[in-house]
Amino acid sequence: MAALQSSFTGLSISSTSFFGQRFSPPLSFPLVKSTEGPCLITAKLKRWERKECKPNSLPVLHKMHVRLGDTVKVISGHDKGKIGEITEIIKHNSKVVVKEVNLKTKHVKSRSEEEPGQIVKIEAPIHSSNVMLYSKEQKVTSRVGHKTLDNGKRVRYLIKTGEIIDSAENWKKAVKEKGKTTEAVAAAS
Protein backbone atom coordinates (compact mmCIF):
# COMPACT_ATOMS: atom_id res chain seq x y z
CA MET A 1 0.00 0.00 0.00
CA ALA A 2 2.84 2.36 0.85
CA ALA A 3 4.44 1.66 -2.53
CA LEU A 4 1.20 2.58 -4.28
CA GLN A 5 0.93 5.88 -2.39
CA SER A 6 4.50 6.80 -3.23
CA SER A 7 3.88 6.14 -6.92
CA PHE A 8 0.87 8.50 -6.92
CA THR A 9 2.79 11.25 -5.18
CA GLY A 10 5.59 10.89 -7.72
CA LEU A 11 3.09 11.34 -10.53
CA SER A 12 2.61 15.04 -11.06
CA ILE A 13 0.80 16.87 -13.79
CA SER A 14 2.27 20.10 -14.99
CA SER A 15 0.22 23.26 -14.71
CA THR A 16 0.40 23.82 -18.46
CA SER A 17 -1.24 20.51 -19.33
CA PHE A 18 -4.95 20.30 -20.08
CA PHE A 19 -5.68 17.70 -17.39
CA GLY A 20 -4.36 19.85 -14.56
CA GLN A 21 -6.61 22.84 -15.30
CA ARG A 22 -9.94 23.28 -13.60
CA PHE A 23 -13.08 23.60 -15.66
CA SER A 24 -14.76 26.96 -15.25
CA PRO A 25 -18.18 27.26 -16.89
CA PRO A 26 -19.16 30.54 -18.53
CA LEU A 27 -20.85 32.95 -16.17
CA SER A 28 -23.98 33.56 -18.28
CA PHE A 29 -25.75 31.13 -20.56
CA PRO A 30 -27.65 32.62 -23.47
CA LEU A 31 -31.38 32.22 -22.94
CA VAL A 32 -32.94 30.53 -25.96
CA LYS A 33 -36.69 30.20 -26.21
CA SER A 34 -38.18 27.59 -28.48
CA THR A 35 -40.57 29.01 -31.07
CA GLU A 36 -42.07 25.58 -31.78
CA GLY A 37 -45.00 24.14 -29.84
CA PRO A 38 -44.70 20.96 -27.82
CA CYS A 39 -43.60 18.09 -30.01
CA LEU A 40 -46.11 15.30 -30.53
CA ILE A 41 -45.25 11.94 -29.04
CA THR A 42 -45.73 8.86 -31.19
CA ALA A 43 -47.05 5.73 -29.52
CA LYS A 44 -46.64 2.31 -31.03
CA LEU A 45 -49.96 1.05 -32.35
CA LYS A 46 -48.68 -1.84 -34.43
CA ARG A 47 -45.28 -2.79 -35.67
CA TRP A 48 -45.82 -1.06 -39.03
CA GLU A 49 -48.09 1.79 -37.98
CA ARG A 50 -47.32 4.73 -35.69
CA LYS A 51 -50.06 6.59 -33.85
CA GLU A 52 -49.63 10.31 -33.11
CA CYS A 53 -50.29 11.25 -29.50
CA LYS A 54 -50.71 14.49 -27.59
CA PRO A 55 -48.35 15.29 -24.68
CA ASN A 56 -50.84 13.62 -22.30
CA SER A 57 -50.51 10.38 -24.34
CA LEU A 58 -54.05 10.51 -25.73
CA PRO A 59 -54.30 9.96 -29.49
CA VAL A 60 -54.71 12.90 -31.85
CA LEU A 61 -58.17 12.60 -33.40
CA HIS A 62 -58.52 14.16 -36.84
CA LYS A 63 -61.68 15.92 -38.03
CA MET A 64 -63.18 14.45 -41.16
CA HIS A 65 -65.68 15.70 -43.73
CA VAL A 66 -67.68 12.46 -43.57
CA ARG A 67 -69.66 10.82 -40.78
CA LEU A 68 -71.19 7.46 -40.01
CA GLY A 69 -74.05 6.62 -42.37
CA ASP A 70 -73.06 9.05 -45.15
CA THR A 71 -73.33 7.89 -48.76
CA VAL A 72 -69.99 8.39 -50.48
CA LYS A 73 -68.34 7.75 -53.83
CA VAL A 74 -64.73 6.55 -54.07
CA ILE A 75 -62.75 9.06 -56.15
CA SER A 76 -59.35 7.33 -56.30
CA GLY A 77 -57.82 3.90 -55.98
CA HIS A 78 -58.67 0.55 -57.54
CA ASP A 79 -62.32 0.89 -56.43
CA LYS A 80 -62.73 4.28 -58.12
CA GLY A 81 -66.36 5.06 -58.98
CA LYS A 82 -67.96 2.69 -56.46
CA ILE A 83 -70.73 4.04 -54.24
CA GLY A 84 -71.39 2.87 -50.69
CA GLU A 85 -72.34 3.83 -47.18
CA ILE A 86 -69.84 4.48 -44.39
CA THR A 87 -70.09 1.76 -41.75
CA GLU A 88 -67.10 2.61 -39.53
CA ILE A 89 -64.83 5.60 -38.88
CA ILE A 90 -61.26 5.40 -37.55
CA LYS A 91 -60.41 8.92 -36.37
CA HIS A 92 -56.77 8.57 -35.32
CA ASN A 93 -55.58 7.85 -38.87
CA SER A 94 -58.46 9.46 -40.87
CA LYS A 95 -59.72 6.22 -42.40
CA VAL A 96 -63.24 5.02 -43.14
CA VAL A 97 -64.80 1.64 -43.93
CA VAL A 98 -67.26 1.78 -46.82
CA LYS A 99 -69.82 -0.98 -47.39
CA GLU A 100 -68.86 -3.35 -50.27
CA VAL A 101 -65.73 -1.30 -51.13
CA ASN A 102 -62.04 -2.29 -50.82
CA LEU A 103 -62.78 -5.96 -50.18
CA LYS A 104 -59.83 -8.07 -49.00
CA THR A 105 -59.67 -11.83 -48.59
CA LYS A 106 -58.94 -13.10 -45.09
CA HIS A 107 -58.01 -16.71 -44.43
CA VAL A 108 -59.61 -17.81 -41.16
CA LYS A 109 -58.20 -20.82 -39.32
CA SER A 110 -60.52 -23.45 -37.92
CA ARG A 111 -61.19 -22.93 -34.20
CA SER A 112 -62.20 -26.51 -33.54
CA GLU A 113 -62.01 -29.83 -35.34
CA GLU A 114 -65.67 -29.72 -36.40
CA GLU A 115 -65.48 -26.17 -37.77
CA PRO A 116 -63.51 -25.97 -41.04
CA GLY A 117 -61.24 -23.09 -42.01
CA GLN A 118 -62.61 -20.63 -44.53
CA ILE A 119 -61.80 -17.70 -46.77
CA VAL A 120 -63.78 -14.56 -45.89
CA LYS A 121 -64.10 -11.25 -47.75
CA ILE A 122 -63.76 -8.26 -45.39
CA GLU A 123 -64.05 -4.52 -46.00
CA ALA A 124 -60.70 -2.83 -45.38
CA PRO A 125 -60.46 0.86 -44.44
CA ILE A 126 -59.56 3.52 -46.99
CA HIS A 127 -58.37 7.07 -46.37
CA SER A 128 -61.11 9.67 -45.99
CA SER A 129 -59.51 11.88 -48.66
CA ASN A 130 -60.27 9.18 -51.24
CA VAL A 131 -64.05 9.47 -50.78
CA MET A 132 -66.48 12.25 -51.62
CA LEU A 133 -70.06 12.79 -50.45
CA TYR A 134 -72.69 11.60 -52.92
CA SER A 135 -76.28 12.66 -53.54
CA LYS A 136 -78.56 9.71 -54.31
CA GLU A 137 -81.38 11.92 -55.67
CA GLN A 138 -79.31 13.89 -58.20
CA LYS A 139 -76.55 11.26 -58.74
CA VAL A 140 -73.72 13.76 -58.22
CA THR A 141 -70.70 14.06 -55.90
CA SER A 142 -70.10 17.25 -54.00
CA ARG A 143 -67.96 18.84 -51.35
CA VAL A 144 -69.48 19.46 -47.93
CA GLY A 145 -70.48 22.84 -46.54
CA HIS A 146 -71.72 23.98 -43.14
CA LYS A 147 -74.58 26.38 -42.46
CA THR A 148 -76.81 27.41 -39.59
CA LEU A 149 -80.57 27.00 -40.00
CA ASP A 150 -83.22 29.46 -38.79
CA ASN A 151 -83.72 27.50 -35.56
CA GLY A 152 -79.98 27.85 -34.73
CA LYS A 153 -79.02 24.28 -35.60
CA ARG A 154 -75.72 23.87 -37.49
CA VAL A 155 -75.95 21.31 -40.31
CA ARG A 156 -73.86 19.95 -43.17
CA TYR A 157 -75.04 20.30 -46.76
CA LEU A 158 -73.84 19.40 -50.26
CA ILE A 159 -72.45 22.50 -51.99
CA LYS A 160 -73.50 21.52 -55.55
CA THR A 161 -77.07 20.56 -54.76
CA GLY A 162 -77.84 22.37 -51.49
CA GLU A 163 -79.18 19.10 -50.05
CA ILE A 164 -78.94 18.93 -46.23
CA ILE A 165 -77.09 15.80 -45.10
CA ASP A 166 -77.57 15.99 -41.32
CA SER A 167 -81.04 15.08 -40.13
CA ALA A 168 -82.21 13.28 -37.02
CA GLU A 169 -83.81 10.47 -39.07
CA ASN A 170 -80.60 9.71 -41.01
CA TRP A 171 -78.52 9.65 -37.84
CA LYS A 172 -80.93 7.34 -35.95
CA LYS A 173 -81.13 5.00 -38.96
CA ALA A 174 -77.32 4.74 -39.19
CA VAL A 175 -76.95 4.03 -35.46
CA LYS A 176 -79.67 1.33 -35.58
CA GLU A 177 -78.03 -0.40 -38.57
CA LYS A 178 -74.64 -0.40 -36.85
CA GLY A 179 -76.23 -1.90 -33.70
CA LYS A 180 -77.86 -4.64 -35.78
CA THR A 181 -74.59 -5.58 -37.49
CA THR A 182 -72.68 -5.78 -34.19
CA GLU A 183 -75.45 -7.97 -32.71
CA ALA A 184 -75.33 -10.24 -35.77
CA VAL A 185 -71.54 -10.60 -35.50
CA ALA A 186 -71.79 -11.35 -31.77
CA ALA A 187 -74.49 -13.98 -32.39
CA ALA A 188 -72.45 -15.64 -35.15
CA SER A 189 -69.37 -16.08 -32.97
Side-chain angles (χ1 to χ4, degrees):
M1 187 71 168
L4 187 61
Q5 286 179 346
S6 65
S7 66
F8 277 123
T9 55
L11 181 67
S12 65
I13 299 174
S14 66
S15 62
T16 58
S17 70
F18 174 75
F19 294 111
Q21 296 176 1
R22 297 185 71 196
F23 174 72
S24 59
L27 297 174
S28 64
F29 288 104
L31 296 174
V32 179
K33 290 188 178 180
S34 175
T35 56
E36 300 175 8
C39 70
L40 295 175
I41 304 165
T42 56
K44 194 170 185 181
L45 179 66
K46 290 186 180 175
R47 192 174 63 229
W48 59 86
E49 183 181 31
R50 298 282 180 189
K51 185 178 186 181
E52 286 183 39
C53 291
K54 298 183 227 172
N56 61 356
S57 299
L58 292 175
V60 175
L61 301 177
H62 303 287
K63 287 189 177 179
M64 289 188 275
H65 66 287
V66 290
R67 290 189 187 161
L68 191 71
D70 287 348
T71 304
V72 293
K73 183 175 186 178
V74 180
I75 58 172
S76 68
H78 67 278
D79 287 326
K80 182 177 180 177
K82 289 189 179 178
I83 298 164
E85 190 173 319
I86 292 182
T87 58
E88 186 182 348
I89 290 181
I90 306 163
K91 283 192 173 183
H92 77 267
N93 56 4
S94 298
K95 292 195 174 191
V96 294
V97 176
V98 183
K99 194 173 192 177
E100 299 297 322
V101 173
N102 197 22
L103 294 174
K104 304 291 181 189
T105 56
K106 183 176 181 180
H107 296 263
V108 180
K109 269 188 166 182
S110 61
R111 293 181 182 231
S112 63
E113 292 181 6
E114 306 90 44
E115 183 183 324
Q118 55 187 344
I119 298 174
V120 181
K121 293 270 187 184
I122 61 164
E123 298 153 350
I126 57 176
H127 201 268
S128 64
S129 65
N130 295 337
V131 297
M132 200 169 194
L133 288 167
Y134 184 76
S135 172
K136 289 180 184 176
E137 288 82 26
Q138 299 189 7
K139 310 276 191 235
V140 66
T141 59
S142 174
R143 290 183 296 148
V144 66
H146 298 273
K147 66 180 175 182
T148 307
L149 299 177
D150 296 334
N151 60 2
K153 188 175 180 183
R154 193 164 180 259
V155 294
R156 298 179 306 143
Y157 72 100
L158 297 178
I159 291 177
K160 278 187 187 174
T161 63
E163 177 186 339
I164 293 177
I165 304 165
D166 291 335
S167 65
E169 297 85 33
N170 289 347
W171 181 252
K172 288 178 183 175
K173 184 181 82 171
V175 171
K176 280 182 184 177
E177 286 180 8
K178 186 174 182 181
K180 287 179 185 176
T181 56
T182 54
E183 289 172 7
V185 169
S189 56

